[in-house]
Amino acid sequence: MGRKLLLEHINVPGINTFAVYKEKGGYRAVEKALKTMSPDDVVEEVKKSGLRGRGGAGFPTGMKWSFLAKPEGVPRYLVCNGDESEPGTFKDRFLMTHIPHALIEGMIVSSFALGANTSYIYVRGEMMPQIRILEKAIAEAKEAGYLGKNILGSDFDLELYVQPGGGAYICGEETALLESLEGKRGNPRIKPPFPAIAGLYNCPTVVNNVESIAATVPIINDGGEEYAKIGIGRSTGTKLISASGNINKPGVYEIELGVSVEDFIYSDEYCGGIANGKRLKAVVAGGSSVPILPANLILNLVNGDKRLMTYESLSDGGFATGTMLGSGGFIVMDEDQCVVRNTWNFSRFYNHESCGQCSPCREGTGWMTKILHKIETGKGSYSDIDLLVDVSKQIEGNTICPLGDAAAWPVASAVRHFRDEFEWHINEPRLSQERNYGLAHY
Ligand code: L3W
Ligand code: SF4
């Protein structure tokens, strides 16, 4: 069994309440940080832990914190990104629902480290139950003296607010989130400047994912070095994975980074194998914003080693420079899944969610959606496949925010690894049309 740092007490009845959370050792990290450490000590422990952003980009959290500008007399903000909307990703919602005090405790510790006296948890607007749960948890923490003025006699003040999101996927992009938090339309800003220099209300701001913030609690409790002992290489600690698709046991799992992909899919501790005795066809390992990896690539050995669940080892070598573990939204497709249809579905999502500021994304996602629909419904030609790849290349790297890349990568990788399936739709137009009769209306 892998170690559980975030979900250790998840099955304890009442763990969502302050009393039970505290009884199980909760708020020790706040006591330790505020009574025995300086803010810089806390930043140092997070740096030592090797923690990397759990929202999708995998950027080192301690490094991000150390970039925070500290001009005299200017407020600093910590903003928690709880706008979880990545397809196939539901681990932040799970954490906020079942163990909200882990996030509140992490917010207090992290705000102390950053010198933020006002912090926000921006939660996806559709998640009203989670917003209520967090508001209740904040009230409980405040009543117990962990929020408000002069917390634990440390001279540190913190007010924590929950802000419902604007109801758009793009509001999960950190600068769009800040625009939305300021009451404006959630359009991504051009970076630099990064939020660490000019963020909320143009003040220095750190934006971290829900899971990243919750992870600071075990890091402070046990020390950064202890945390860094878990995992492999630059992928340290544990990670929540949202597992979905054609598996026997979909759900949220806490893994030690470095578990093999094969074990994650087939062992009873995690996904429990492919449902209905089918064969694995493909995996999208990091939400829908990463390449689609075929079974042979995901299960075969890489330089003699098994492919691991780490930030480094899930790339397909052909696309994308970033980490392909992404948000940890692990979508499994069995042999009956149609890759063209699933890619079309992803594309439709990005086209719908594009904010429209840059033409490669606004127009390109529309083009890709139309071409994929044409192929999927048996009306495509060979030249459409090349056009699809061409459009995806025009988007990649040419947009303000990563949504453009996120839309391009699954399409490009689908054609690269499953070209024969695209060709089947073109060679078998009648079968394709009959199978997709309902799709003609989209
Ligand atoms: C100061 C510098 N700060 C980078 C900070 C930057 C940000 C973080 C990472 O996209 C990915 C995306 C989705 N000085 C800095 C600096 N920073 N250089 O580091 O930045 P970046 O640009 O690498 O990524 P990002 O814009 O945060 C996130 C992928 O995640 N994704 C999406 C997940 C979506 C959710 C959701 O549903 N809300 O989780 C999944 O794979 O495609 O590539 O803080 O400021 N020099
Ligand atoms: Fe908007 Fe797309 Fe440009 Fe991002 S890439 S700013 S979502 S148009």
Side-chain angles (χ1 to χ4, degrees):
M1 283 285 273
R3 278 180 63 184
K4 308 282 177 247
L5 302 181
L6 298 175
L7 303 185
E8 186 186 357
H9 301 300
I10 199 71
N11 293 322
V12 174
I15 195 67
N16 58 336
T17 65
F18 176 83
V20 176
Y21 180 76
K22 182 122 194 324
E23 193 187 301
K24 287 289 165 193
Y27 288 94
R28 269 188 304 134
V30 174
E31 302 262 355
K32 184 173 174 184
L34 271 61
K35 287 182 179 167
T36 69
M37 299 169 80
S38 71
D40 285 348
D41 291 341
V42 178
V43 175
E44 204 43 46
E45 287 307 318
V46 172
K47 275 190 184 164
K48 276 191 212 156
S49 74
L51 175 68
R52 291 169 66 179
R54 301 305 197 213
F59 194 83
T61 307
M63 191 190 294
K64 192 193 276 192
W65 286 11
S66 60
F67 286 155
L68 188 69
K70 296 180 178 166
E72 197 65 29
V74 177
R76 281 164 245 155
Y77 295 104
L78 170 65
V79 177
C80 171
N81 186 346
D83 194 54
E84 188 177 56
S85 322
E86 179 75 9
T89 310
F90 39 87
K91 46 108 188 164
D92 293 337
R93 183 181 58 187
F94 183 84
L95 200 87
M96 292 188 280
T97 307
H98 298 291
I99 186 154
H101 285 283
L103 175 59
I104 308 299
E105 183 172 13
M107 285 298 287
I108 302 168
V109 168
S110 307
S111 300
F112 172 71
L114 299 168
N117 301 114
T118 307
S119 296
Y120 297 91
I121 307 175
Y122 183 97
V123 182
R124 182 178 171 169
E126 290 87 342
M127 295 190 200
M128 274 328 277
Q130 287 67 31
I131 289 168
R132 298 280 172 260
I133 289 168
L134 288 172
E135 282 171 343
K136 181 164 176 273
I138 289 173
E140 287 178 318
K142 197 163 188 176
E143 197 178 329
Y146 288 107
L147 283 170
K149 295 258 176 245
N150 191 23
I151 302 169
L152 306 179
S154 64
D155 216 20
F156 172 63
D157 306 337
L158 178 62
E159 290 301 334
L160 192 50
Y161 299 98
V162 182
Q163 173 64 42
Y169 171 73
I170 197 58
C171 289
E173 193 282 331
E174 60 176 2
T175 58
L177 187 156
L178 295 175
E179 288 284 300
S180 169
L181 195 51
E182 290 178 4
K184 296 179 240 162
R185 183 190 158 110
N187 278 353
R189 300 173 183 167
I190 291 174
K191 293 190 271 188
F194 288 94
I197 308 297
L200 187 64
Y201 307 121
N202 218 19
C203 296
T205 303
V206 163
V207 185
N208 280 145
N209 170 260
V210 168
E211 184 189 346
S212 314
I213 290 174
T216 61
V217 173
I219 289 170
I220 295 308
N221 280 335
D222 305 335
E225 275 172 21
E226 219 34 51
Y227 188 88
K229 283 182 190 160
I230 304 172
I232 289 187
R234 290 183 57 236
S235 294
T236 61
T238 65
K239 170 96 191 79
L240 298 181
I241 304 290
S242 322
S244 67
N246 306 118
I247 44 176
N248 283 316
K249 298 195 313 170
V252 175
Y253 296 101
E254 183 170 11
I255 61 161
E256 291 190 10
L257 284 166
V259 159
S260 81
V261 177
E262 188 177 358
D263 282 353
F264 184 69
I265 297 175
Y266 290 101
S267 82
D268 276 340
E269 189 180 348
Y270 304 116
C271 302
I274 308 300
N276 305 315
K278 299 275 180 184
R279 279 183 312 172
L280 175 68
K281 181 178 202 170
V283 166
V284 190
S288 60
S289 302
V290 297
I292 298 173
L293 302 177
N296 63 357
L297 216 103
I298 204 108
L299 296 179
N300 284 357
L301 301 182
V302 187
N303 301 327
D305 295 324
K306 280 185 175 179
R307 199 173 273 268
L308 305 179
M309 302 279 280
T310 64
Y311 285 101
E312 290 77 23
S313 96
L314 288 166
S315 151
D316 72 349
F319 301 94
T321 47
T323 162
M324 296 299 112
L325 185 61
S327 57
F330 196 87
I331 306 168
V332 179
M333 299 181 199
D334 73 13
E335 57 190 306
D336 293 343
Q337 290 292 330
C338 170
V339 167
V340 180
R341 189 183 189 128
N342 277 292
T343 310
W344 169 71
N345 197 28
F346 287 161
S347 212
R348 205 158 57 105
F349 171 78
Y350 289 114
N351 181 226
H352 183 261
E353 297 298 335
S354 166
C355 82
Q357 280 192 108
C358 8
S359 6
C361 171
R362 183 188 62 239
E363 303 301 327
T365 54
W367 272 79
M368 291 196 306
T369 306
K370 283 185 189 138
I371 300 166
L372 281 160
H373 180 249
K374 195 175 161 199
I375 297 173
E376 172 63 8
T377 50
K379 295 173 198 139
S381 61
Y382 276 76
S383 64
D384 284 326
I385 305 180
D386 298 329
L387 182 59
L388 196 55
V389 175
D390 191 41
V391 174
S392 79
K393 283 191 188 141
Q394 308 277 352
I395 300 173
E396 190 185 351
N398 293 324
T399 57
I400 293 173
C401 91
L403 188 141
D405 290 346
W409 290 338
V411 172
S413 62
V415 176
R416 177 175 148 116
H417 297 299
F418 296 94
R419 197 177 183 103
D420 55 339
E421 223 168 292
F422 284 80
E423 290 177 355
W424 179 88
H425 283 273
I426 290 158
N427 295 333
E428 301 286 351
R430 246 197 57 213
L431 286 175
S432 196
Q433 275 165 19
E434 280 169 14
R435 205 187 62 172
N436 289 309
Y437 177 70
L439 286 186
H441 304 294
Y442 282 95

